[in-house]
Amino acid sequence: MRQQILSHLDNPRQLEQLYRADKPAFTRTFNTLYSEIKDSTLATYWNERLNFTTGERPAGNRNELIFIGIASLLAGLIAKLPALFGIDETFFYSRNVGFVVFPLLTAYFAWQHKLPSGRIAVLAGATLLGLVFINFLPNNEKSDTLVLSCIHLPLWLWAILGAAFTGNDNRSNGKRIGFLTYNGDLLVMTGLLLIAGIALSGITLGLFSLIGLAIETLYFRNIGMVGLAAAPIVGTYLVRSNPQLVGKIAPVIARIFCPLVLVMLVTYLAATLYAGKDPYRDREFLLVFNILLIGVMALIFFAIAGTSTAAKSRAELWLLLLLSALTIAVNGIALSAVLFRISTWGITPNRVAVLGGNVLILINLLLVTIQLFRVLKGTSSISGVENIVAVYLPVYALWAAVVTFLFPLLFGFQ
């Protein structure tokens, strides 16, 4: 969006088309870009128009508010199904936690983008496939493939949500980057909502305790659970209807955490060597290593997605490059440890799943690092880095589908 606005800065018709195609993304991008283009008369006009509109309009129209209200109640109802129907909580939440929110958010974006019935049917069918498959897997607590399916199914549902978010233009790299930006904004907004909810809960419980009523169990099993389930849905509404609320916060958070994570990662690797930890033989340590890898990779991708809405200095680009290179080193250690465990103790579903995930992440990080290096050399633009991230997203969706649906069959449900 940033590049499109800059390239059409002297074309009022094209700017209007960009605005009408994706109002939240246009507003968020323009507001962060305005300081660079404020000398343009047309940019001044758009600044007045967007600021005036956002300052005066209501948070959302009535139909959208009704939709969000119903979706929030449905999320709370789904979360309460074990209590309402006597379903085993471990069985239900381990397999169905993703269905509490993702299908409702998918329905929201399908409704917002007025998707054709055929596309809606495909999204609904993919969601239903996951629902039926995961709940009919044999209930074997020692099954590695069952655990892997439960872990990767939310990723499959996340991919379906992404297909709904991108609308009819699902091959657009800009829309895919917008989806990543939305995820980062949603994390920030949901976190703020949960902090506010925790504060309100503390005050409520404290007030009731003063009059001798202990409502903790009743409160958390009902109001607390419903609020937790509804938070991402309400957060989505706030992010979409008020992009100026979070559009400037998420990039700042990324700028703060990237250097902190870089220092933490270097310190952690040094401490690992000093403590003599061995990821090749210590299974739990290898698991933590991979979780760390995924978390850092996600931060890098969210920071890159934010480059379309905030101008990056060379220092920030160097920071991303160093963080990417260091994450590649962490990935290399984890990958070699998995290969060692496979060669020593044989193939298991867990080892194959971790191996496949590490290989995919390594390839993606290598491509991103190379592109970042080209940007710093001046032979490419930041949009090239975004394109690498955007093009690769379906690969993760495909891998999630393979682990979720094929691994139980390939490994005999073991």
Side-chain angles (χ1 to χ4, degrees):
M1 181 65 75
R2 181 177 191 274
Q3 297 299 326
Q4 289 177 309
I5 292 175
L6 288 174
S7 60
H8 297 299
L9 195 55
D10 297 322
N11 191 329
R13 182 180 180 84
Q14 288 295 328
L15 288 179
E16 183 67 29
Q17 289 179 347
L18 287 173
Y19 174 69
R20 295 190 180 191
D22 194 342
K23 293 181 181 180
F26 183 94
T27 304
R28 180 174 60 245
T29 304
F30 185 90
N31 283 337
T32 54
L33 185 63
Y34 179 65
S35 61
E36 302 176 29
I37 57 176
K38 60 184 178 181
D39 294 334
S40 167
T41 302
L42 186 58
T44 303
Y45 160 75
W46 272 100
N47 180 57
E48 294 296 328
R49 175 183 174 182
L50 294 175
N51 288 336
F52 175 81
T53 302
T54 14
E56 297 295 331
R57 72 177 182 179
N61 60 56
R62 181 181 178 185
N63 290 337
E64 189 173 4
L65 286 170
I66 292 173
F67 190 103
I68 291 297
I70 294 174
S72 299
L73 290 175
L74 285 175
L77 180 62
I78 295 170
K80 289 287 297 176
L81 285 178
L84 294 174
F85 296 99
I87 303 172
D88 180 70
E89 291 187 356
T90 302
F91 177 92
F92 179 84
Y93 291 122
S94 63
R95 298 176 186 236
N96 299 283
V97 66
F99 293 102
V100 174
V101 171
F102 282 117
L104 296 168
L105 289 179
T106 300
Y108 171 76
F109 285 112
W111 174 67
Q112 282 275 297
H113 295 145
K114 298 180 174 61
L115 296 184
S117 55
R119 188 165 175 79
I120 291 175
V122 171
L123 296 177
T127 303
L128 184 61
L129 172 64
L131 178 66
V132 173
F133 183 85
I134 199 69
N135 284 288
F136 278 90
L137 283 177
N139 190 22
N140 179 7
E141 296 181 358
K142 296 182 179 180
S143 171
D144 290 337
T145 55
L146 173 60
V147 174
L148 289 171
S149 289
C150 291
I151 292 173
H152 286 79
L153 180 61
L155 297 178
W156 170 248
L157 297 176
W158 180 75
I160 297 172
L161 172 61
F165 181 94
T166 54
N168 294 310
D169 195 13
N170 62 321
R171 294 186 178 181
S172 167
N173 289 339
K175 289 289 184 68
R176 292 178 182 176
I177 288 296
F179 178 59
L180 283 182
T181 303
Y182 153 73
N183 279 268
D185 292 347
L186 180 61
L187 285 175
V188 173
M189 182 57 70
T190 303
L192 293 175
L193 289 174
L194 291 178
I195 291 172
I198 291 171
L200 177 61
S201 299
I203 294 172
T204 302
L205 296 176
L207 290 174
F208 273 88
S209 67
L210 290 176
I211 59 175
L213 293 177
I215 63 167
E216 288 83 356
T217 302
L218 178 66
Y219 183 88
F220 286 116
R221 283 187 172 273
N222 294 280
I223 298 175
M225 183 171 291
V226 172
L228 185 63
I233 298 172
V234 176
T236 293
Y237 168 72
L238 293 174
V239 166
R240 299 290 291 177
S241 61
N242 301 278
Q244 72 281 2
L245 286 177
V246 188
K248 296 181 180 180
I249 298 176
V252 172
I253 291 177
R255 291 192 191 102
I256 293 173
F257 274 89
C258 280
L260 293 178
V261 169
L262 180 62
V263 173
M264 180 275 294
L265 203 55
V266 172
T267 305
Y268 180 74
L269 290 175
T272 298
L273 293 175
Y274 177 78
K277 282 291 184 179
D278 184 5
Y280 294 88
R281 298 185 182 276
D282 190 331
R283 184 172 179 269
E284 286 71 23
F285 180 66
L286 178 59
L287 176 62
V288 173
F289 222 64
N290 277 284
I291 293 174
L292 174 67
L293 169 65
I294 294 171
V296 176
M297 184 197 70
L299 177 64
I300 292 171
F301 288 175
F302 286 140
I304 290 172
T307 56
S308 61
T309 60
K312 289 289 182 186
S313 65
R314 287 186 64 84
E316 290 174 307
L317 291 174
W318 272 110
L319 181 63
L320 283 175
L321 178 64
L322 291 174
L323 193 54
S324 299
L326 193 58
T327 310
I328 289 174
V330 173
N331 188 302
I333 296 172
L335 186 60
S336 63
V338 174
L339 289 172
F340 171 80
R341 294 178 68 84
I342 289 177
S343 63
T344 304
W345 294 293
I347 293 176
T348 66
N350 285 334
R351 291 169 192 158
V352 174
V354 174
L355 176 64
N358 281 339
V359 169
L360 294 180
I361 292 173
L362 178 61
I363 295 172
N364 200 359
L365 285 172
L366 284 171
L367 294 174
V368 166
T369 304
I370 292 171
Q371 198 63 35
L372 281 170
F373 183 71
R374 290 175 178 172
V375 173
L376 286 166
K377 285 182 62 180
T379 58
S380 183
S381 66
I382 195 65
S383 60
V385 185
E386 294 178 350
N387 290 336
I388 291 294
V389 175
V391 169
Y392 212 83
L393 284 178
V395 177
Y396 292 116
L398 180 61
W399 179 246
V402 168
V403 178
T404 300
F405 299 109
L406 294 185
F407 267 43
L409 304 176
L410 294 174
F411 290 96
F413 303 101
Q414 73 179 58

